[in-house]
Amino acid sequence: MVTVILTVVVLIAVAVCFLVLKRRYERQLDVAVRRAQKSEQLKSVFIDNISRTLRMPLNAIADFSNKILEENDENMMSAQVRKLVTDISDYSKDLVEYIEQLHEMSKFEGITPSFTFIEVNLSELMASYRREAMNYTKPDVAVRVTTDLSPHCRAVLDTNLMHQLMMHLLSNAARHVTQGDIFIRYSCERRGLKVSVCYASMVQPELTDADIISILQKDDALKDAAKSSVLGLAICKAIVDMFGGEIYMDSEDNNNTVATFWFPCEMKDIYKDL
């Protein structure tokens, strides 16, 4: 009798577990399907937006070029030619900026996290970011790296995503700083890596709570991205979210803007030989 009761209890327990697991996987499948549908919808909307945005400067460049070609040399005033060439140059710059934004977006695969973790020396890694950032800064701006960690400190992270994250923040800082220093500060905190990019700026820092999907669905997504750092910050937030971390921007009393991110990260030799 006891054996029968135990058997019934086990069967009921197995049935309950099966139903719980079935419901759980059904919910996960439903979320995946909705995400795929939303991604497909986003792609269609974004392609339409890109087409409209790129078509305007391309048409303008073609139109102004044709005006120059169609006019006879003796009838074309030098001032008129200069004006048309200036317009062509301006639209060409817009086109290059749009293409650069598309290139940045193409490097981000925001739907499915895909990591390639390797162990790197943090001091060498931050020095490489500093050297690259100097290519974006104005003549009177210096980029400096400070830390309380050992020069031997190593971290295990995805260097591709880390590079994209750092260069977004540093290029944003270089855009606003006309003179002075941009500081890269990194430390170990809560069993993870904390990095801050600090710079003097009179510009109010843009918030990093924007959803990249909502940004890309706007009609003027590329135009807005070229004029501000909102798209870059949204990509940064998406990257940090994939790492399981956090990112925020603050203004200090001395008009310094500080962009800070943290994510859990295995670190070794943190204070070696200090």
Side-chain angles (χ1 to χ4, degrees):
M1 185 67 180
V2 175
T3 304
V4 174
I5 294 175
L6 288 176
T7 303
V8 172
V9 170
V10 170
L11 290 174
I12 292 173
V14 170
V16 170
C17 290
F18 175 78
L19 291 174
V20 170
L21 288 173
K22 181 175 180 291
R23 183 170 298 179
R24 176 184 175 186
Y25 285 119
E26 284 177 346
R27 286 198 299 265
Q28 290 178 344
L29 179 61
D30 185 54
V31 170
V33 169
R34 288 201 304 270
R35 182 180 295 174
Q37 290 172 342
K38 188 174 184 179
S39 176
E40 189 65 26
Q41 180 184 11
L42 167 63
K43 183 170 66 174
S44 299
V45 171
F46 186 50
I47 289 175
D48 289 342
N49 292 342
I50 290 175
S51 178
R52 286 195 299 271
T53 303
L54 297 183
R55 193 181 295 120
M56 186 182 71
L58 286 171
N59 287 339
I61 291 170
D63 183 52
F64 295 145
S65 299
N66 288 334
K67 285 183 179 180
I68 296 175
L69 294 173
E70 289 171 359
E71 290 285 347
N72 294 322
D73 291 343
E74 60 271 18
N75 297 330
M76 179 72 76
M77 301 293 292
S78 60
Q80 186 181 1
V81 174
R82 189 177 297 110
K83 175 65 168 61
L84 290 172
V85 171
T86 300
D87 290 338
I88 291 174
S89 176
D90 291 340
Y91 279 110
S92 297
K93 291 177 182 177
D94 289 342
L95 194 59
V96 170
E97 287 183 348
Y98 297 156
I99 293 172
E100 287 178 350
Q101 295 298 329
L102 287 172
H103 178 63
E104 287 300 318
M105 283 181 269
S106 70
K107 294 188 292 184
F108 177 70
E109 303 173 359
I111 302 302
T112 305
S114 177
F115 302 110
T116 303
F117 290 105
I118 61 173
E119 185 175 289
V120 294
N121 180 286
L122 277 180
S123 177
E124 295 174 358
L125 190 67
M126 295 300 171
S128 71
Y129 297 148
R130 174 191 172 277
R131 288 191 297 269
E132 189 170 350
M134 289 297 293
N135 296 325
Y136 302 106
T137 58
K138 297 174 179 63
D140 295 330
V141 177
V143 181
R144 308 184 188 280
V145 180
T146 63
T147 184
D148 60 350
L149 304 183
S150 166
H152 305 289
C153 180
R154 294 167 292 154
V156 179
L157 45 79
D158 186 313
T159 54
N160 290 328
L161 288 176
M162 185 69 176
H163 176 269
Q164 189 175 0
L165 175 59
M166 287 296 298
M167 296 319 299
H168 271 308
L169 296 180
L170 288 170
S171 61
N172 181 49
R175 184 184 297 120
H176 295 299
V177 180
T178 56
Q179 62 180 7
D181 296 327
I182 298 173
F183 288 98
I184 303 173
R185 300 169 179 163
Y186 67 98
S187 60
C188 179
E189 184 176 297
R190 292 178 287 159
R191 296 184 179 180
L193 176 64
K194 178 182 178 181
V195 181
S196 295
V197 176
C198 179
Y199 53 97
S201 174
M202 299 300 293
V203 180
Q204 188 72 16
E206 296 186 67
L207 300 177
T208 55
D209 58 353
D211 177 15
I212 187 172
I213 292 180
S214 64
I215 291 174
L216 296 184
Q217 285 181 319
K218 294 181 179 179
D219 288 343
D220 294 330
L222 285 180
K223 292 181 182 179
D224 291 342
K227 295 177 182 177
S228 72
S229 57
V230 63
L231 178 60
L233 292 176
I235 292 176
C236 288
K237 182 178 184 302
I239 292 173
V240 173
D241 287 345
M242 287 198 299
F243 280 134
E246 56 195 39
I247 182 170
Y248 52 90
M249 297 189 75
D250 286 320
S251 288
E252 297 180 342
D253 293 337
N254 54 357
N255 290 325
N256 277 355
T257 295
V258 184
T260 303
F261 66 86
W262 169 89
F263 56 81
C265 175
E266 180 184 354
M267 300 176 68
K268 304 177 181 178
D269 298 331
I270 298 174
Y271 301 112
K272 182 179 180 181
D273 296 336
L274 290 181

